[in-house]
Amino acid sequence: MDIISLHNYTRDIIQQAASKIRASFQQTMQIETKADVNDLVTNIDKETEQFIIEKIRQFDSSHRIFGEEGMSAETFENLDGIVWIVDPIDGTMNFIRQQRNFTISIGIYENGIGKLGYIYDVVRDELYYAIEGQGAYVNDERLSPLENLPLDEAIIGINASWVVENKRINYKKTGQLVRKVRGTRSYGSATIEAMLVATGRLDAYMSMRLSPWDIAASAIIAKEVGACFTTLKGQPINLLTQDTFIIANKSIQQEILDDYIELYD
Amino acid sequence: MDIISLHNYTRDIIQQAASKIRASFQQTMQIETKADVNDLVTNIDKETEQFIIEKIRQFDSSHRIFGEEGMSAETFENLDGIVWIVDPIDGTMNFIRQQRNFTISIGIYENGIGKLGYIYDVVRDELYYAIEGQGAYVNDERLSPLENLPLDEAIIGINASWVVENKRINYKKTGQLVRKVRGTRSYGSATIEAMLVATGRLDAYMSMRLSPWDIAASAIIAKEVGACFTTLKGQPINLLTQDTFIIANKSIQQEILDDYIELYD
């Protein structure tokens, strides 16, 4: 594939989709008072995904499209060929309640290999992207490789839900992790938190349950800055299923997995 | 006091202080690699506070100044007269590690009554402010009164530290709160989280331990949008001491305090 043409085209798609989302803010405000908030947002999610799908089909109708809202009507049992993995709005609750802290996320894979990754924080106007082997950028600035640090100086992204008693993970061990590190944060968007790790603003982010479109772009960008991204069992991520996820500075990832994570099967 | 002159002057101080902080970003990057990160930030904190103090003294040398870095050398046993309560950088760890998600915060009190409150999110360029009885604003936009909502639809700001076992609070009850609400967030800056509540982007924010300069400005702004702000015992805040703190939509505050907060003395 012609990487540069694809790169330029994808950036254009994202900017056009973002304009549509920004235009919806006023509409959102008006409709929130008289209709169901979740329905409305579903409409904007769907409209945005439909727009992106049409643009991809115009570019090359042989490309496959795997999106959160399932508008492409394709079922996915493999990643053969060129596959776009699309989340039109990651951080839907933030979008509804905050009108900030959400992104448009697109990962482009070729036979399962990540080629191009894009995460656009619409309100901050920050486009994070990477081309395989060419480094990662935010807008026009190249991201630096991450520097090592000890776990007790780390700031980690973890939702409080994974620190209270739950069926998926030993909460006492995640609680020990919270006490061990310097600080914790939670922003409500897996892509924003992953990009905070990619830029060294957080040192790890984990979740018990993410879908392929939550992590497809992040994985491509993470690789270019030397961040680790695996399941919480330390296995490679599988983009055909929902699973656990951690992205982390490589100097602390194994210690987190070994000493603080105990999953219940 | 001449409220409008004071308001205009304070806005100018904040913009000038913000320029100094922005200019320090490059310096921060350079020095972080060769010196202790905490020392550096203390210097920027102190320089910013010293700048603000000098500006206040130029305006009226009879005004008292209560700042996080203690540069005014005054000890505080009462709030008599006109008192400026200043935090030059709220969210210090974010400032060091993220170069975002921190604020300049100033509250101006007259004989203990909040008159003018300012919280400036430097990187987002959002100035939240209120004049007693005149409403609250972000930049030039007036904030709306908060709308009621049920607790199970709320998004609350709470750090994971208060959900793991600790000496200050019954963590099992805060854990029940985490499970009850729709979502939780944690941003690492008490003033940013308070302003997310003031704008309806969060519905509550609480902390076990905040100082007067963390909450002095927020309290004035919160009052103008009808948000509750008290200690976690439901008592009025005391600006002479460190204490617990909650700012919340008034439709959910009492339920949180009654059913989910149990402090250990």
Side-chain angles (χ1 to χ4, degrees):
Chain A
M1 63 181 159
D2 177 346
I3 286 280
I4 299 304
S5 295
L6 191 53
H7 172 60
N8 293 338
Y9 192 80
T10 308
R11 286 183 70 147
D12 285 348
I13 294 176
I14 289 170
Q15 289 299 342
Q16 290 174 51
S19 294
K20 289 178 175 290
I21 290 171
R22 286 191 199 98
S24 79
F25 282 168
Q26 194 53 43
Q27 182 192 347
T28 307
M29 300 295 190
Q30 289 166 355
I31 299 176
E32 269 188 2
T33 57
K34 59 181 180 183
D36 183 79
V37 169
N38 295 314
D39 278 348
L40 171 69
V41 149
T42 303
N43 289 346
I44 297 170
D45 281 347
K46 286 184 176 176
E47 285 168 26
T48 306
E49 182 166 308
Q50 193 60 60
F51 171 80
I52 293 170
I53 288 170
E54 284 166 15
K55 288 290 177 182
I56 297 168
R57 290 196 174 133
Q58 286 169 21
F59 184 80
D60 188 330
S61 61
S62 75
H63 289 189
R64 301 168 67 201
I65 306 166
F66 190 12
E68 176 165 22
E69 307 309 330
M71 310 290 288
S72 79
E74 190 174 357
T75 55
F76 268 76
E77 293 175 355
N78 62 61
L79 293 176
D80 294 349
I82 294 176
V83 179
W84 297 57
I85 304 179
V86 175
D87 194 347
I89 297 179
D90 178 60
T92 301
M93 188 52 61
N94 289 343
F95 173 69
I96 304 172
R97 288 296 310 279
Q98 304 193 337
Q99 279 93 49
R100 60 178 59 184
N101 298 325
F102 63 89
T103 75
I104 300 169
S105 174
I106 296 178
I108 305 176
Y109 285 73
E110 186 173 32
N111 297 320
I113 308 295
K115 292 294 179 183
L116 297 148
Y118 302 84
I119 291 170
Y120 185 49
D121 182 332
V122 174
V123 174
R124 278 202 193 263
D125 188 25
E126 288 181 344
L127 178 65
Y128 298 86
Y129 61 92
I131 302 175
E132 186 196 20
Q134 306 296 314
Y137 292 79
V138 54
N139 295 340
D140 292 325
E141 184 185 345
R142 183 155 179 159
L143 302 187
S144 303
L146 299 178
E147 293 178 18
N148 293 347
L149 85 169
L151 187 56
D152 59 6
E153 291 181 10
I155 306 180
I156 63 169
I158 184 168
N159 194 278
S161 304
W162 310 124
V163 182
V164 303
E165 199 163 357
N166 68 82
K167 292 177 180 173
R168 294 173 179 269
I169 196 165
N170 183 336
Y171 76 103
K172 292 182 180 173
K173 296 192 92 170
T174 49
Q176 287 166 4
L177 177 61
V178 168
R179 281 191 290 267
K180 171 76 172 177
V181 297
R182 182 165 283 172
T184 65
R185 301 285 185 270
S186 183
Y187 300 89
S189 158
T191 53
I192 284 180
E193 291 174 272
M195 290 306 94
L196 289 168
V197 175
T199 51
R201 294 184 167 108
L202 290 178
D203 304 303
Y205 162 73
M206 66 190 70
S207 179
M208 293 315 114
R209 190 178 43 191
L210 289 176
S211 293
W213 42 84
D214 295 319
I215 58 177
S218 298
I220 297 166
I221 298 168
K223 191 174 175 184
E224 296 297 320
V225 295
C228 294
F229 52 98
T230 66
T231 69
L232 283 172
K233 290 180 174 173
Q235 296 163 340
I237 60 170
N238 176 351
L239 289 172
L240 295 171
T241 185
Q242 207 178 57
D243 207 337
T244 60
F245 179 69
I246 180 171
I247 173 172
N249 186 304
K250 66 179 186 300
S251 61
I252 61 171
Q253 190 199 31
Q254 201 59 47
E255 186 177 353
I256 292 174
L257 294 183
D258 288 349
D259 296 350
Y260 300 100
I261 300 297
E262 181 188 343
L263 294 170
Y264 302 137
D265 286 315
Chain B
M1 64 182 160
D2 176 348
I3 287 280
I4 299 304
S5 296
L6 191 53
H7 172 60
N8 292 336
Y9 192 80
T10 309
R11 287 183 71 147
D12 285 347
I13 293 177
I14 290 169
Q15 288 300 340
Q16 291 173 52
S19 295
K20 288 176 174 290
I21 291 171
R22 286 192 197 97
S24 78
F25 282 168
Q26 194 52 44
Q27 182 191 348
T28 308
M29 301 295 189
Q30 289 167 357
I31 298 176
E32 270 189 0
T33 58
K34 61 182 178 180
D36 183 80
V37 169
N38 295 316
D39 278 350
L40 171 69
V41 150
T42 303
N43 288 346
I44 296 170
D45 282 347
K46 286 184 177 178
E47 285 168 25
T48 305
E49 182 166 308
Q50 193 61 60
F51 171 80
I52 294 170
I53 288 170
E54 285 165 15
K55 288 289 178 184
I56 296 168
R57 290 196 175 132
Q58 285 169 22
F59 184 79
D60 189 330
S61 61
S62 76
H63 289 189
R64 302 168 69 202
I65 306 165
F66 190 11
E68 176 164 19
E69 307 309 330
M71 310 290 287
S72 78
E74 190 174 356
T75 56
F76 267 75
E77 293 175 354
N78 63 62
L79 293 175
D80 294 349
I82 294 177
V83 178
W84 297 58
I85 304 179
V86 176
D87 194 347
I89 297 178
D90 178 60
T92 301
M93 187 53 58
N94 289 343
F95 173 70
I96 304 172
R97 288 294 312 279
Q98 304 191 339
Q99 280 93 47
R100 59 179 59 184
N101 298 324
F102 62 90
T103 75
I104 300 169
S105 175
I106 297 178
I108 306 176
Y109 285 72
E110 186 174 31
N111 297 319
I113 307 296
K115 293 293 180 183
L116 297 148
Y118 302 85
I119 291 171
Y120 185 49
D121 182 333
V122 173
V123 174
R124 278 202 194 262
D125 188 24
E126 287 181 344
L127 178 65
Y128 298 86
Y129 61 92
I131 302 175
E132 185 196 20
Q134 306 296 315
Y137 292 79
V138 55
N139 294 339
D140 293 324
E141 186 186 343
R142 183 155 180 158
L143 301 186
S144 302
L146 299 178
E147 292 179 19
N148 293 347
L149 85 169
L151 187 57
D152 59 6
E153 291 181 11
I155 307 180
I156 62 168
I158 184 168
N159 193 277
S161 303
W162 310 124
V163 182
V164 303
E165 199 163 356
N166 69 82
K167 291 177 181 172
R168 294 171 180 271
I169 195 165
N170 183 337
Y171 77 102
K172 291 183 179 170
K173 296 192 92 170
T174 49
Q176 287 165 3
L177 177 62
V178 168
R179 280 191 289 266
K180 171 76 173 177
V181 297
R182 182 165 283 173
T184 65
R185 301 286 185 270
S186 182
Y187 299 89
S189 158
T191 53
I192 283 180
E193 290 173 272
M195 290 307 94
L196 289 168
V197 176
T199 51
R201 293 183 167 110
L202 290 178
D203 304 302
Y205 163 72
M206 67 190 70
S207 179
M208 293 313 114
R209 191 178 44 192
L210 290 176
S211 294
W213 43 82
D214 294 320
I215 58 178
S218 298
I220 297 166
I221 298 168
K223 191 175 176 184
E224 296 297 322
V225 294
C228 294
F229 52 98
T230 65
T231 69
L232 283 172
K233 289 180 176 172
Q235 296 161 339
I237 60 170
N238 175 351
L239 290 173
L240 296 171
T241 185
Q242 208 178 58
D243 207 338
T244 60
F245 180 68
I246 180 170
I247 174 172
N249 186 304
K250 66 179 185 300
S251 61
I252 62 172
Q253 189 199 31
Q254 201 58 49
E255 185 178 353
I256 293 173
L257 294 183
D258 289 348
D259 296 350
Y260 300 100
I261 301 297
E262 181 189 342
L263 293 170
Y264 302 138
D265 288 314

